[in-house]
Amino acid sequence: MYEENITLCGASSYEKKYYFNEDFHALPDSVKDELHIMCVLYTEEIGGVLTLEFDQEGNLEFRVEALEADAMFDDIGSALRIKQLRREKAELLNSLELYYKVFFLGEEVEEE
């Protein structure tokens, strides 16, 4: 098991950059594109830095950081937007968690 969080992807409104962890290169291009769009749109709307990280149990977490001097960062809007993304992208996020648990943590998939 990993001892710290593993970053899947992220975007920064400060540097105007997007990052994708190449350890996840096997993901379909459509998933990579959706993550790219989601992260960049978030930082364009809200500001700051958004990263999607897997914790030690394989849960996908949204991590947000902003500079203290960033008066444009919308703290309330951030929480609301993440809640909206979790609701609208639930299937994608759940699939990513399953992918990580199987291929990175070596867990067995339970058949329904």
Side-chain angles (χ1 to χ4, degrees), residues 75-88:
D75 199 26
I76 296 170
S78 172
L80 293 173
R81 185 72 172 116
I82 289 172
K83 187 175 181 179
Q84 178 185 14
L85 287 171
R86 286 198 173 279
R87 186 177 59 252
E88 292 176 357

Side-chain angles (χ1 to χ4, degrees), residues 60-74:
L60 191 57
E61 299 177 349
F62 286 71
R63 183 178 195 172
V64 178
E65 296 178 22
L67 298 175
E68 282 189 40
D70 186 356
M72 299 302 292
F73 180 73
D74 184 358

Side-chain angles (χ1 to χ4, degrees), residues 15-83:
E15 297 179 15
K16 302 288 186 209
K17 290 187 180 180
Y18 172 76
Y19 166 79
F20 180 79
N21 185 341
E22 286 302 318
D23 289 346
F24 298 94
H25 71 277
L27 287 172
D29 288 339
S30 61
V31 171
K32 293 178 195 175
D33 292 344
E34 193 167 351
L35 289 168
H36 188 163
I37 292 166
M38 183 175 73
C39 289
V40 170
L41 284 179
Y42 171 92
T43 57
E44 287 298 313
E45 288 177 34
I46 307 297
V49 177
L50 171 69
T51 54
L52 274 61
E53 301 178 351
F54 291 101
D55 67 12
Q56 296 169 358
E57 288 80 39
N59 301 309
L60 191 57
E61 299 177 349
F62 286 71
R63 183 178 195 172
V64 178
E65 296 178 22
L67 298 175
E68 282 189 40
D70 186 356
M72 299 302 292
F73 180 73
D74 184 358
D75 199 26
I76 296 170
S78 172
L80 293 173
R81 185 72 172 116
I82 289 172
K83 187 175 181 179

